[in-house]
């Protein structure tokens, strides 16, 4: 099995997507086992391949809990009205969907699963892109009173074939906590709306799960200064 030429192309693709999904959750701040992110193709095949050598997507689902550092970063600044704010983050459910076509019925079922088992948010990874109607429903699922508090996001397996943050031309992106954000704006006497912007659907922003209204620090290399930082407001 160690020779990729003797392994199905689909198994190789899903192995890469699964490992990237694990890395993505780790990079966001969730607790992820190091051995999962470094799992070899042989190990993956022995755990998740069917007898015919093809991947069994129903066994690839997983959940992640936020680390203490992530909980702190997502906790709003205390106020008189709310002296002990709760973190605006929680357990996430990651599901690999096996359907060739993904429409609104499948997304609704996914959202129902999140609500039933009290997941704060969910990530669905699909074989093919979702339908337009499913995308429309997905965009509206976050604010729904009966939906998960943290909303739902979707990737295709192709999106996760490689970890884009490992590319040498992609600078490091670091999400600021609400307290760090306020300190930054106070230091420069700015409003968040005056900062340069980054779209929430930007590939790196999407990878890191950045939400609208957040501020991200982008660290770039510089031949003169060593490295320098800039800031972007997520819209």
């Amino acid at each position: 099995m160690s020779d990729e030429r003797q392994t199905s192309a689909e198994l190789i693709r899903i192995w890469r997507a699964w490992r990237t999904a694990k890395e993505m959750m780790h990079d966001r701040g969730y607790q992820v086992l190091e051995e999962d992110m470094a799992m070899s193709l042989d190990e993956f095949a022995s755990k998740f391949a069917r007898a015919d050598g093809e991947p069994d997507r129903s066994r690839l689902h997983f959940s992640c809990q936020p680390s203490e550092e992530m909980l702190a970063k997502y906790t709003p600044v205390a106020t008189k009205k709310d002296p002990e704010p709760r973190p605006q983050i929680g357990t996430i459910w990651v599901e690999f969907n096996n359907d060739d076509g993904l429409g609104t019925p499948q997304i609704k079922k996914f959202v129902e699963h999140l609500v039933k088992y009290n997941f704060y948010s969910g990530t669905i990874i699909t074989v093919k892109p979702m339908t337009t109607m499913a995308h429309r429903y997905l965009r509206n699922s976050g604010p729904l009173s009966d939906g998960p508090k943290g909303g739902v996001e979707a990737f295709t397996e192709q999106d996760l074939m490689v970890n884009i943050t490992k590319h040498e031309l992609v600078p490091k992106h670091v999400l600021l906590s609400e307290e760090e954000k306020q300190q930054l704006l106070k230091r420069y006497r700015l409003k968040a709306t005056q900062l340069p912007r980054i779209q929430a659907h930007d590939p790196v922003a999407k990878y890191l799960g950045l939400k609208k209204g957040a501020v991200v620090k982008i660290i770039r290399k510089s031949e003169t200064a060593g490295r320098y930082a800039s800031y972007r407001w997520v819209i």
Side-chain angles (χ1 to χ4, degrees):
M1 293 293 293
S2 59
D3 187 346
E4 292 190 5
R5 292 172 298 179
Q6 299 177 4
T7 308
S8 80
E10 185 174 9
L11 183 66
I12 296 170
R13 185 177 69 250
I14 197 69
W15 164 63
R16 290 173 175 165
W18 186 83
R19 287 209 318 182
T20 300
K22 288 283 186 173
E23 292 172 350
M24 181 169 68
M25 294 303 144
H26 174 267
D27 292 344
R28 292 181 182 190
Y30 291 99
Q31 299 178 52
V32 179
L33 295 175
E34 290 289 341
E35 51 262 41
D36 283 351
M37 295 184 286
M39 186 177 293
S40 69
L41 178 58
D42 283 350
E43 292 174 310
F44 183 83
S46 67
K47 287 187 176 184
F48 303 116
R50 304 192 304 254
D52 62 1
E54 297 299 327
D56 182 355
R57 288 178 176 80
S58 66
R59 294 160 57 191
L60 298 177
H61 314 327
F62 62 90
S63 63
C64 296
Q65 293 183 340
S67 64
E68 291 298 322
E69 181 180 357
M70 189 182 194
L71 288 171
K73 180 161 287 192
Y74 279 84
T75 300
V77 176
T79 62
K80 290 183 179 180
K81 187 176 180 179
D82 187 8
E84 297 182 1
R86 300 184 63 179
Q88 295 180 349
I89 201 69
T91 306
I92 190 170
W93 174 254
V94 181
E95 181 171 307
F96 283 76
N97 185 273
N98 197 38
D99 297 327
D100 286 334
L102 192 72
T104 305
Q106 291 92 338
I107 292 296
K108 286 184 176 180
K109 183 178 179 181
F110 179 65
V111 171
E112 289 171 358
H113 175 84
L114 299 178
V115 173
K116 180 179 180 181
Y117 293 100
N118 201 31
F119 289 107
Y120 189 88
S121 58
T123 300
I124 189 166
I125 300 170
T126 65
V127 179
K128 296 180 180 179
M130 296 184 299
T131 65
T132 301
M133 291 300 292
H135 270 294
R136 188 174 301 169
Y137 177 83
L138 190 58
R139 286 196 299 268
N140 296 327
S141 64
L144 293 178
S145 58
D146 58 347
K149 294 180 181 178
V152 177
E153 60 183 349
F155 294 85
T156 63
E157 292 173 6
Q158 188 63 36
D159 293 334
L160 301 176
M161 284 291 288
V162 296
N163 183 337
I164 59 173
T165 64
K166 291 184 177 180
H167 194 285
E168 62 179 4
L169 296 180
V170 177
K172 184 176 181 61
H173 290 57
V174 180
L175 173 67
L176 299 188
S177 68
E178 187 61 30
E179 182 176 1
E180 291 170 332
K181 172 183 170 181
Q182 291 188 14
Q183 289 175 349
L184 173 73
L185 298 177
K186 183 178 180 180
R187 184 189 316 149
Y188 294 106
R189 299 180 181 179
L190 294 171
K191 294 181 180 179
T193 54
Q194 294 175 294
L195 291 171
R197 303 179 179 189
I198 182 173
Q199 299 283 342
H201 58 260
D202 172 271
V204 177
K206 186 177 179 182
Y207 175 90
L208 293 174
L210 303 181
K211 304 296 185 182
K212 292 181 179 180
V215 172
V216 61
K217 180 179 182 180
I218 302 177
I219 304 170
R220 291 183 171 88
K221 295 180 180 179
S222 168
E223 293 183 359
T224 56
R227 63 178 190 171
Y228 69 96
S230 59
Y231 300 89
R232 296 290 186 272
W233 180 52
V234 184
I235 61 172

